[in-house]
Amino acid sequence: MQESSHRLLNIARILQFGDSVLPVGAFTFSCGVESAISCGIVYDRQTLKQYVCTALLQAAKCDAVAQIQTLRACRSNRLNDLISIDKDVISRKLSPESRVMTQRMGKKLTELSTAIYHDPVFNWWLEQIRQGTVIGTYPVSHGLLMSHLDLDEDAMLAMHFYGVAMTILSAAQRLMRITHLDSQKILAEVTSLFPDYAEMALNTRPEEMSSFSPVIDILAAVHVDAHVRLFMN
């Protein structure tokens, strides 16, 4: 395949699997911003942007690291390493809702991958999930798909960070007084920070992977007992 054709195909794949309406259930989660808004922590464009940046920092130190390790393990034909990476991810999710989120989205993405591509590796991973051998966390399932699509680490991380930002912004659009123009302005501002978050993820060793973010973790705990909830978390 010519280089230009390969590049065009990669762009098309990034658009497809980076789409905020990809049917993996992301729309049912808010990454804690629902509680942040109800508690008055997020109340305008600036505080929403700060919350998005906090979530991206958390992603860069945990899920993005797992994605990188998954991609590298796949390309070195070390598929059994995915089982330990998956366990590392779920062990770092402090709140029950964050564990549910990564589990459900990971399984949905694997089911989607299995339906689209006839690659035995997806059938193997889905079977591991169904047997309970693994949780099937979203970053590991996503890294597995990116390996199949032959996308590089930069593209994979850009898709992941975009997904985190859009999940929060889409939820906020339904929860607070903020215009679509405000949301797009925030998105434009935070995407300029993606290279910094990617560098952080690339320089974080697997044993240093951590999802610790006190504000988000506390808000997730508050959300569990909320009387009115539009989102899962």
Side-chain angles (χ1 to χ4, degrees):
M1 182 184 296
Q2 294 182 352
E3 183 179 349
S4 59
S5 298
H6 182 71
R7 185 169 60 251
L8 181 62
L9 181 58
N10 282 346
I11 292 173
R13 287 168 170 170
I14 291 171
L15 290 172
Q16 178 181 3
F17 293 102
D19 196 326
S20 60
V21 297
L22 187 72
V24 294
F27 69 94
T28 63
F29 299 96
S30 74
C31 294
V33 76
E34 182 171 19
S35 289
I37 292 170
S38 65
C39 292
I41 295 174
V42 171
Y43 52 86
D44 60 8
R45 193 183 72 80
Q46 186 58 35
T47 53
L48 178 58
K49 178 187 174 182
Q50 291 171 352
Y51 189 89
V52 172
C53 288
T54 299
L56 287 171
L57 177 62
Q58 184 185 51
K61 297 291 288 184
C62 186
D63 286 4
V65 179
Q67 287 184 328
I68 293 168
Q69 296 306 313
T70 297
L71 190 63
R72 293 176 179 176
C74 290
R75 291 182 174 170
S76 300
N77 199 27
R78 295 181 285 109
L79 291 180
N80 285 332
D81 286 2
L82 271 59
I83 297 175
S84 60
I85 297 171
D86 189 72
K87 291 178 179 178
D88 287 342
V89 173
I90 200 65
S91 68
R92 286 163 171 80
K93 301 293 184 181
L94 300 184
S95 72
E97 289 188 335
S98 64
R99 292 196 289 271
V100 169
M101 179 180 180
T102 194
Q103 180 179 13
R104 289 188 181 180
M105 288 179 60
K107 184 178 181 181
K108 288 293 185 182
L109 183 63
T110 303
E111 291 173 342
L112 181 65
S113 303
T114 303
I116 297 175
Y117 301 109
H118 301 291
D119 188 333
V121 71
F122 295 128
N123 293 312
W124 168 76
W125 187 242
L126 185 58
E127 187 60 26
Q128 299 302 307
I129 295 173
R130 288 172 173 169
Q131 290 180 356
T133 306
V134 298
I135 294 296
T137 57
Y138 184 75
V140 177
S141 299
H142 189 263
L144 186 63
L145 175 59
M146 295 304 103
S147 174
H148 173 85
L149 296 177
D150 197 27
L151 293 176
D152 60 27
E153 292 177 357
D154 287 342
M156 178 181 67
L157 292 176
M159 291 170 65
H160 178 60
F161 295 143
Y162 176 83
V164 171
M166 280 306 301
T167 295
I168 296 172
L169 292 172
S170 295
Q173 196 74 59
R174 288 171 275 176
L175 292 166
M176 61 186 291
R177 290 185 176 181
I178 186 170
T179 69
H180 292 286
L181 296 177
D182 288 329
S183 295
Q184 288 303 310
K185 185 173 182 179
I186 293 173
L187 184 61
E189 291 170 350
V190 299
T191 51
S192 67
L193 302 174
F194 283 7
D196 295 332
Y197 293 121
E199 187 69 20
M200 186 181 301
L202 290 166
N203 289 327
T204 299
R205 297 194 301 269
E207 62 270 21
E208 296 174 333
M209 186 169 63
S210 171
S211 67
F212 182 65
S213 182
V215 173
I216 292 180
D217 293 331
I218 291 171
L219 289 171
V222 169
H223 192 261
V224 172
D225 296 323
H227 293 294
V228 178
R229 299 196 308 177
L230 180 61
F231 297 91
M232 285 291 296
N233 73 7

